[in-house]
Amino acid sequence: MTRRVAVIGGGSSGLACIKSCLGEGLEPVCYESSDDIGGLWRFKENPEPDRASIYHSVIINTSKEMMCFSDFPIPANFPNYMHNSLIMDYFRMYADHFQLTKHIRFNTKVLQVRQRSDFSHSGQWDVETENKDGKTEKHIFDAVMICIGHHCHPNLPLHDFPGIDTFKGTYFHSRDYKTPEEWRNKKAVVIGIGNSGGDIAVELSRVTKQLYLSTRRGAWILNRVGDNGFPLDLHFNRVLDFLQLILPFGVFCGLAERQLNQRFDHALYNLKPKHRLFSQHPTVNDELPNRILSGTVQVKPNIRRLQGSSVEFDDGSVVEDVDLVVFATGYRFSFPFLASHVTSVSGNKASLYKYVFPPELERPTLAIIGLVQPLGAIMPISEMQARWATRVFKGCTKLPSVASMLKDVQCKQETMAKRYVSSQRHTIQVDYLNYMDEIAGLLGVRPNIPRLLLTDPRLGLKVLFGPGTPYQYRLKGPGKWAGARQAIFTQWERVAQPMQTRPCDDPKTKRSYMWPLILSAAVVGWAAYVNRNNFPAYLHDPTALLDKMKVYLPAQ
């Protein structure tokens, strides 16, 4: 009998789960509380409760070759960094191509997920849902995949800002920001220098009278545009990953920080943090340095207090007549439909084996997909987790003992605590390539580079020295895709194509005589040096020199 799997959430992770279930012969039923797919990436003018919401201008900060699903490349004509509307177009193409939408129940909210009375034997779950008309239903599933992400509940720490109740202007969380126009010629403060905070500060600064960016720690700022104009994340490969493993953490950070400071001096721009580059999730923003340089953005320390329409910062400076405060202070995640004994969330931490499986469940039939904050793209990671989880559900892949899983969870928590700044933002951090390889190893799809170098050297070199694109994980094993090799060989063509929008003939190079002249002069000089003792005789009788040269000329 076909096993039924409940997939909660129809965003990018949910779509990957539906497809993975179908690929393994499982029967997915996806419950999506809204009326469309896309999750975080679907722009809506009015935010919905307990759902992430983006602003109109959002452009993703991972490039298309790094963020695509591993067996469905993003069209070559799409830009490398896509606007949220294009991301939605891609999701629709993916859902249509693999016929995923028919498995989704829209406008259906999951109220409760609980273990059945015979769970220790069956591993089954009771799932209670409610449709838009308020009708509730109960269903039985053999497994459950939770794909609601970690941008669930806005973190609005008003208690950390004395006087906020007296503030005469407007304040809200970044999820409620949509467009900048209504704040033209106003004064605004943005709190937080993560990706949302940086983007909103830059956009508002184009219309406001003055924009103040408040940050407690500062941040290292990455640029989407890397060396030679290629997307930055395409420069991250296995060689760089190996260097990160063998070099001391401080040395590796120092090398990268020096490169970032060559673009602009973070200390000069009042942004340099006390922590190292890889001790915090970096901020990706191409325009912030220009905005600071032009004075439209002023970087300020943390807010000490608010009073009426004035804002006082920790350095004692005061800004009067502030009209807007935007809290770009992140999100909290939770699973309100799940009993706390199944998996609990405290301080934005959840105890999960490889960030997927609750380690102490009697049967491994619950998986949480996409609950990671990668230094890289989330879509391929969610897909990899889904591929692994569905194999576990089928019994094709076994999990280790409870003790081993708990030890792994503790080890990851300790490693994270040593590396990262203490913050609820740094509880689910993973390095993209390391984590992908880790889960791929459990699934049996991790590329064997030594073998590739022997059997297919061209491909092996591209996997080793090229970007860690998702196609690498479709070369072998469960879910192998016949087009993976070709996708790897053509990835740079898809990077270049959207930028080739006008004919650009290289200028014809004129023939240069510089090198022949230099070489001729060198030969003459060398000959003169070798025959320096006979040089006066040659000047007196040049025929002697000609006779000597005839020895080296071909016979008539």
Side-chain angles (χ1 to χ4, degrees):
M1 197 168 92
T2 304
R3 297 184 182 185
R4 300 179 73 235
V5 179
V7 178
I8 304 174
S12 60
S13 298
L15 293 176
C17 286
I18 297 170
K19 181 180 176 297
S20 295
C21 286
L22 294 173
E24 293 295 337
L26 305 174
E27 182 186 334
V29 179
C30 176
Y31 297 108
E32 168 55 45
S33 61
S34 73
D35 59 358
D36 200 358
I37 63 171
L40 169 69
W41 292 102
R42 184 165 57 91
F43 172 78
K44 292 200 76 172
E45 194 69 44
N46 299 309
E48 299 169 341
D50 299 327
R51 291 182 64 87
S53 184
I54 57 174
Y55 37 100
H56 185 269
S57 62
V58 167
I59 292 175
I60 197 166
N61 55 28
T62 51
S63 68
K64 66 176 182 180
E65 289 300 303
M66 295 299 295
M67 64 159 277
C68 65
F69 295 113
S70 60
D71 57 355
F72 196 72
I74 293 173
N77 64 307
F78 276 37
N80 285 283
Y81 291 106
M82 299 190 294
H83 183 262
N84 58 84
S85 59
L86 288 175
I87 295 173
M88 284 297 299
D89 288 346
Y90 172 64
F91 287 162
R92 295 192 200 286
M93 292 176 192
Y94 182 74
D96 291 345
H97 182 79
F98 294 107
Q99 301 180 21
L100 307 180
T101 310
K102 64 183 180 182
H103 300 281
I104 304 176
R105 308 290 180 265
F106 291 108
N107 296 306
T108 304
K109 182 179 181 181
V110 173
L111 301 177
Q112 194 172 42
V113 176
R114 61 176 182 271
Q115 296 160 294
R116 304 207 79 208
S117 56
D118 64 344
F119 180 81
S120 60
H121 170 70
S122 68
Q124 291 182 324
W125 299 84
D126 286 320
V127 177
E128 185 178 356
T129 62
E130 180 184 58
N131 65 16
K132 63 180 179 180
D133 299 321
K135 180 183 177 182
T136 61
E137 292 182 329
K138 293 186 178 180
H139 317 266
I140 299 172
F141 286 97
D142 298 291
V144 175
M145 305 179 88
I146 299 174
C147 313
I148 62 174
H150 52 87
H151 296 91
C152 305
H153 314 292
N155 178 44
L156 199 61
L158 300 181
H159 58 276
D160 291 336
F161 296 88
I164 188 67
D165 54 323
T166 70
F167 183 57
K168 294 180 180 179
T170 302
Y171 69 85
F172 51 70
H173 191 269
S174 58
R175 77 186 292 271
D176 296 309
Y177 171 82
K178 297 302 169 187
T179 57
E181 282 305 317
E182 65 178 298
W183 305 107
R184 185 172 292 278
N185 297 321
K186 307 288 187 180
K187 285 186 181 179
V189 176
V190 174
I191 301 171
I193 197 171
N195 288 313
S196 293
D199 282 352
I200 292 171
V202 164
E203 184 167 272
L204 279 171
S205 72
R206 297 193 186 102
V207 300
T208 53
K209 184 177 181 180
Q210 184 62 57
L211 189 290
Y212 301 92
L213 179 57
S214 171
T215 169
R216 284 181 298 173
R217 299 191 187 97
W220 294 102
I221 310 297
L222 302 184
N223 194 11
R224 285 184 178 91
V225 183
D227 293 343
N228 299 312
F230 288 107
L232 177 67
D233 54 4
L234 294 180
H235 295 288
F236 301 148
N237 56 31
R238 295 178 187 278
V239 174
L240 198 64
D241 197 57
F242 178 70
L243 288 175
Q244 185 177 357
L245 291 175
I246 63 172
L247 289 177
F249 182 72
V251 172
F252 188 75
C253 287
L255 292 171
E257 289 163 9
R258 191 174 298 113
Q259 190 168 0
L260 292 182
N261 279 324
Q262 286 177 353
R263 179 176 172 240
F264 74 91
D265 187 333
H266 283 61
L268 179 65
Y269 281 63
N270 214 23
L271 286 170
K272 184 178 179 180
K274 293 180 180 178
H275 60 262
R276 307 309 302 266
L277 171 59
F278 296 109
S279 294
Q280 184 181 29
H281 194 82
T283 298
V284 179
N285 197 298
D286 301 82
E287 297 185 64
L288 183 59
N290 178 53
R291 288 283 143 188
I292 296 171
L293 196 62
S294 62
T296 56
V297 171
Q298 288 187 23
V299 180
K300 304 294 283 185
N302 198 37
I303 292 176
R304 181 179 293 171
R305 66 174 64 89
L306 299 94
Q307 183 64 46
S309 61
S310 67
V311 176
E312 181 182 352
F313 298 94
D314 279 348
D315 62 355
S317 61
V318 178
V319 176
E320 304 286 352
D321 302 321
V322 174
D323 302 286
L324 170 68
V325 175
V326 180
F327 287 84
T329 44
Y331 290 83
R332 295 173 290 105
F333 62 83
S334 66
F335 309 109
F337 46 77
L338 204 57
S340 59
H341 71 272
V342 175
T343 185
S344 61
V345 178
S346 177
N348 250 26
K349 294 180 182 177
S351 179
L352 298 170
Y353 176 61
K354 307 297 185 188
Y355 302 100
V356 176
F357 288 101
E360 296 183 275
L361 275 183
E362 294 173 280
R363 300 293 296 271
T365 55
L366 175 74
I368 298 174
I369 306 299
L371 192 65
V372 290
Q373 180 75 47
L375 293 174
I378 182 68
M379 292 79 167
I381 287 180
S382 294
E383 181 192 41
M384 182 66 73
Q385 291 176 331
R387 292 171 65 190
W388 176 45
T390 50
R391 297 287 290 178
V392 171
F393 294 161
K394 283 184 66 177
C396 301
T397 302
K398 303 291 185 184
L399 297 184
S401 67
V402 172
S404 297
M405 289 192 285
L406 289 172
K407 185 178 179 180
D408 182 84
V409 170
Q410 184 180 0
C411 180
K412 278 183 165 48
Q413 289 175 347
E414 290 173 354
T415 301
M416 197 175 301
K418 289 178 183 176
R419 172 174 166 178
Y420 288 100
V421 173
S422 179
S423 166
Q424 69 171 21
R425 189 185 183 197
H426 300 130
T427 57
I428 49 175
Q429 288 288 136
V430 296
D431 291 327
Y432 171 83
L433 204 51
N434 276 342
Y435 184 73
M436 287 285 280
D437 277 352
E438 185 177 5
I439 304 302
L442 299 171
L443 180 59
V445 298
R446 179 174 178 172
N448 186 330
I449 295 176
R451 184 180 180 86
L452 283 176
L453 290 172
L454 290 173
T455 58
D456 193 343
R458 287 181 63 214
L459 178 61
L461 289 171
K462 288 185 179 295
V463 172
L464 178 60
F465 294 104
T469 45
Y471 321 121
Q472 298 181 7
Y473 302 98
R474 291 284 183 178
L475 292 169
K476 67 169 193 172
K480 179 181 176 180
W481 175 44
R485 186 179 187 275
Q486 181 64 15
I488 293 171
F489 274 85
T490 56
Q491 58 197 8
W492 290 106
E493 295 173 18
R494 288 189 297 278
V495 170
Q497 183 170 324
M499 296 181 282
Q500 305 303 302
T501 53
R502 78 172 183 90
C504 189
D505 295 329
D506 292 331
K508 293 180 180 179
T509 56
K510 295 181 179 179
R511 187 175 179 182
S512 174
Y513 294 97
M514 181 181 68
W515 285 109
L517 287 173
I518 291 174
L519 290 172
S520 299
V523 169
V524 170
W526 175 78
Y529 175 78
V530 169
N531 296 284
R532 61 188 181 279
N533 295 328
N534 300 323
F535 197 65
Y538 293 150
L539 289 176
H540 180 70
D541 183 12
T543 56
L545 177 60
L546 292 174
D547 291 338
K548 186 160 185 139
M549 290 174 62
K550 285 179 182 178
V551 177
Y552 300 98
L553 295 174
Q556 295 296 325

